[in-house]
Amino acid sequence: MKLEDTIRSAFEKAFPGEDFSFVRVVPATDAKFGDYQCNDALKLAKKFGMKPRDIASKVAAALDNECFEKVEIAGPGFLNLTVGEKWLAQSVAALDAASECGIPQQGAGKTVVIDYSSPNAAKQMHIGHIRSTVIGGALDRIFRALGYNVVADNHLGDWGTQFGILIKGYRECLTQEERDNLSVANLEKCYVLSAAKAKEEDGEWKDACKAELVKLQQGDAENLALWKKFIDISICEFERMYAKLGVKFDTYRGESYYNAMMPGVVEKLLKAGLAEESEGALVVKLEEENLGVAIVRKSDGGYNYTTSDLACVESRVADYNPERIIYVTDDRQKLHFAQFFSIAAKMGYTVKLVHVPFGLMSFKGKAISTREGNLIKLDDLLSEAVRRSYEIVKERGGDEHLAEQIGIGAVKYTDLSHDPATAIDFDWDKALALDGNSGPYLQYAHARVCSLLAKAAQSPAGSPDDSATEAPGAFDKRLALQLLEFPGAVVRAAEAYKPSILADYLYQTAQVYSSFYQNTSVLKSPEPVRSRRLALCALFAKILAKGLDLLGIEAPERI
Ligand code: ARG
């Protein structure tokens, strides 16, 4: 932000040779104090052995006052800043002209891998998958907008004991017709039947499943072909969901991709003295960090989730040389990630590893992401969203397509407007409300400003009025300042891995716009006020659409 640079250079001028990169300028808590404030003089009192007020005065004196109309020192040493009209007009024009709505390209030349959605193959996606897909999808878009080279990697659960059960079930629990028209629903069905039989007393079925699994692991051509078929069908089905949700992956490297690398990982751990034997298993002790003990090779010689994720880091570093890897999963996996991040650091990996854990989504207090039980299918939830929003839009002459944009947007926005770390109790009425903090409210605000702009293009401009050249009013200024915050909101959302920061910003911006619109007249204003206000409206429309796009939500021009 240019303002921050101005303040920093005033600090540097007042106190040469010091590092002031920590200095921040934040919006004023109350408009009566000005537009922005800087509170960092207080942090320097001890270091400089000076009263914070004196530090603030020195900084104020060193300020090159191009940006500010008024600079005041308040309280113990706050700098209250009121921006000047010229600076504001120039900044708004610069933001309007900037590409990507002024989002800084701070990721240029850097790669980030985002590991998200990652469902288990051969099962239908359910409501428990929505958050990883939607939060990961938004982070994907936000990091791309910041100029990062993003690798969206779907770490499918495509390996494990379930495939023995599936292969046996496929051969013996499905009809020929079901086999010919194999779908994920059929796979799920044969899994349930086969798993039930595997629980039978005599253990014959269970042994047969085990035998199929061993054959698969040993590379038996027929079983491998079946396994491949199950994975392909699963990805095809997942992609149908991803298309509805506006999410796209660059690669689907599931757990199986890392199989061959696991013995090498364990070898490295042994060589580095990080792993040790314990009751027949191989473990890495992390008790000193309060992370318990992580098994990296089970007593039966098999590898596990930790080994697989370590192999995965090795492979991603080798293939993409990423600056960081972001994993989006539910918060029950916190310990797993803390453990393997710690082991990876001990192994010498310097890539930044970030876990973005999210809380459960429930429906009227009922958990909808449990290990067992009847999970609501993602497909059904999305259809329900479209059906419900169709009821709303059809009264306004809206069609199916609009219902999809609004219904899916409503579900996504509900997820994204909550801090990922918190749990969500999903409520249809709230999600679809046309007022309040909802997706439809923002989409509607966008459509309304679009229709205002269309009207303006058709109605003649007002005649110039000399008395109208007075300074922009408080509402104009408030809206302009709010719009200038957009690039910063995108940066903060990325830094915190919280799309909710961007959602909050958009909601707040829509509210500021709404009070601007209610308290000023746009179309009926004389020139040049009318044009100036229309420019603000157009910038609001552009920023709102861009912000929604970064959340993966569509912004139709008409509702
Ligand atoms: N398949 C896992 C699950 O369904 C999520 C995988 C997350 N990614 C990872 N590299 N561990 O819970």
Side-chain angles (χ1 to χ4, degrees):
M1 193 215 279
K2 258 186 78 208
L3 274 186
E4 215 156 63
D5 291 343
T6 310
I7 294 289
R8 278 186 197 150
S9 49
F11 269 97
E12 278 156 17
K13 230 158 122 196
F15 302 96
E18 301 287 337
D19 174 22
F20 291 108
S21 55
F22 69 91
V23 167
R24 292 278 176 279
V25 173
V26 295
T29 46
D30 189 328
K32 69 172 182 261
F33 299 139
D35 303 317
Y36 292 99
Q37 61 194 59
C38 172
N39 306 333
D40 292 323
L42 277 73
K43 290 189 192 146
L44 295 163
K46 214 172 180 180
K47 182 167 178 193
F48 293 163
M50 280 171 78
K51 286 199 194 107
R53 271 190 84 96
D54 295 340
I55 297 174
S57 306
K58 253 187 113 169
V59 172
L63 251 181
D64 161 10
N65 268 1
E66 252 196 24
C67 309
F68 305 108
E69 191 173 273
K70 202 164 83 188
V71 176
E72 278 176 340
I73 294 148
F78 304 128
L79 276 165
N80 287 345
L81 309 162
T82 304
V83 299
E85 199 190 312
K86 198 171 136 211
W87 177 86
L88 191 58
Q90 278 171 355
S91 302
V92 168
L95 179 59
D96 196 25
S99 58
E100 289 281 320
C101 291
I103 300 169
Q105 297 302 291
Q106 58 190 39
K110 294 181 199 154
T111 295
V112 43
V113 176
I114 312 185
D115 173 325
Y116 67 100
S117 194
S118 310
N120 291 328
K123 277 191 194 162
Q124 298 185 79
M125 286 177 82
H126 58 75
I127 192 141
H129 294 114
I130 200 165
R131 294 206 77 187
S132 178
T133 310
V134 167
I135 295 168
L139 291 175
D140 181 336
R141 286 164 179 264
I142 289 170
F143 275 85
R144 278 178 215 264
L146 286 161
Y148 286 87
N149 170 37
V150 173
V151 180
D153 190 356
N154 196 322
H155 192 85
L156 287 180
D158 65 354
W159 200 250
T161 48
Q162 71 267 35
F163 287 95
I165 299 172
L166 273 164
I167 291 172
K168 174 84 175 151
Y170 169 83
R171 294 213 175 98
E172 294 183 39
C173 303
L174 291 183
T175 64
Q176 188 56 44
E177 206 198 328
E178 283 168 333
R179 277 193 290 268
D180 290 343
N181 301 295
L182 198 60
S183 64
V184 175
N186 283 339
L187 283 174
E188 215 168 54
K189 182 181 147 190
C190 81
Y191 178 82
V192 171
L193 293 172
S194 178
K197 283 182 174 260
K199 287 201 179 112
E200 282 169 5
E201 291 265 310
D202 60 15
E204 217 172 284
W205 191 277
K206 192 174 169 190
D207 291 343
C209 292
K210 189 98 197 267
E212 296 293 4
L213 180 68
V214 171
K215 267 170 80 183
L216 174 67
Q217 286 165 337
Q218 290 170 347
D220 172 77
E222 213 176 305
N223 278 10
L224 214 50
L226 271 185
W227 169 80
K228 178 89 173 56
K229 185 169 167 170
F230 299 166
I231 303 303
D232 289 345
I233 287 173
S234 304
I235 292 181
C236 189
E237 167 72 12
F238 297 155
E239 287 197 328
R240 201 168 62 80
M241 294 302 112
Y242 296 146
K244 288 188 184 196
L245 287 168
V247 167
K248 236 181 129 224
F249 288 91
D250 298 303
T251 156
Y252 286 85
R253 287 187 178 172
E255 289 172 19
S256 66
Y257 184 85
Y258 307 100
N259 275 345
M261 300 173 68
M262 303 228 251
V265 168
V266 168
E267 198 122 304
K268 265 192 200 156
L269 288 170
L270 283 169
K271 253 201 198 129
L274 292 168
E276 57 194 271
E277 292 270 344
S278 169
E279 295 170 38
L282 209 59
V283 303
V284 179
K285 292 195 167 157
L286 301 165
E287 283 132 330
E288 270 175 25
E289 297 148 70
N290 262 331
L291 294 174
V293 171
I295 297 177
V296 290
R297 194 177 65 206
K298 296 184 281 184
S299 52
D300 66 4
Y303 303 102
N304 67 1
Y305 198 35
T306 305
T307 338
S308 152
D309 260 328
L310 287 169
C312 179
V313 170
E314 182 177 325
S315 156
R316 284 171 175 164
V317 167
D319 290 353
Y320 308 118
N321 187 25
E323 179 236 2
R324 63 186 119 178
I325 308 177
I326 302 169
Y327 303 81
V328 188
T329 80
D330 75 61
D331 54 17
R332 291 171 299 187
Q333 298 195 29
K334 265 186 181 166
L335 179 63
H336 163 73
F337 283 100
Q339 284 184 335
F340 104 72
F341 287 1
S342 163
I343 300 173
K346 290 191 205 310
M347 290 173 83
Y349 289 109
T350 51
V351 57
K352 193 160 148 194
L353 301 173
V354 183
H355 183 212
V356 180
F358 54 81
L360 227 60
M361 181 133 94
S362 61
F363 244 113
K364 299 210 171 74
K366 257 192 9 223
I368 42 183
S369 171
T370 56
R371 294 241 172 257
E372 281 115 351
N374 283 331
L375 301 178
I376 298 168
K377 282 186 227 136
L378 183 54
D379 203 11
D380 293 344
L381 178 91
L382 298 179
S383 302
E384 171 88 356
V386 175
R387 191 189 62 73
R388 286 185 185 243
S389 71
Y390 186 63
E391 292 301 312
I392 299 168
V393 301
K394 83 171 178 217
E395 284 163 28
R396 300 162 179 268
D399 58 9
E400 272 287 329
H401 179 58
L402 184 62
E404 270 168 30
Q405 292 176 307
I406 293 188
I408 306 282
V411 171
K412 293 182 89 172
Y413 188 83
T414 301
D415 189 335
L416 295 171
S417 58
H418 288 78
D419 183 323
T422 60
I424 299 179
D425 196 11
F426 191 89
D427 174 338
W428 280 115
D429 293 335
K430 243 195 241 164
L432 288 165
L434 283 177
D435 48 13
N437 191 4
S438 73
Y441 167 76
L442 291 180
Q443 288 172 318
Y444 192 50
H446 176 260
R448 264 198 317 215
V449 65
C450 285
S451 93
L452 175 83
L453 293 168
K455 214 152 129 201
Q458 261 151 43
S459 65
S463 49
D465 179 343
D466 287 343
S467 68
T469 50
E470 95 273 8
F475 291 101
D476 304 70
K477 188 174 183 185
R478 179 79 191 86
L479 178 58
L481 289 171
Q482 177 71 20
L483 294 173
L484 291 180
E485 296 296 318
F486 176 68
V490 176
V491 170
R492 281 187 292 119
E495 277 171 357
Y497 307 102
K498 291 184 194 302
S500 55
I501 291 176
L502 178 57
D504 283 348
Y505 166 80
L506 294 178
Y507 179 51
Q508 200 183 50
T509 307
Q511 286 178 307
V512 169
Y513 172 79
S514 162
S515 75
F516 160 83
Y517 186 73
Q518 277 161 28
N519 290 288
T520 60
S521 89
V522 177
L523 292 181
K524 294 207 181 93
S525 287
E527 287 299 351
V529 177
R530 179 183 137 118
S531 294
R532 197 175 64 209
R533 289 197 169 140
L534 279 170
L536 279 179
C537 294
L539 187 55
F540 167 64
K542 190 160 98 177
I543 281 176
L544 184 52
K546 181 76 188 170
L548 285 171
D549 177 56
L550 294 183
L551 297 179
I553 295 172
E554 291 187 51
E557 285 183 12
R558 230 173 289 167
I559 291 188

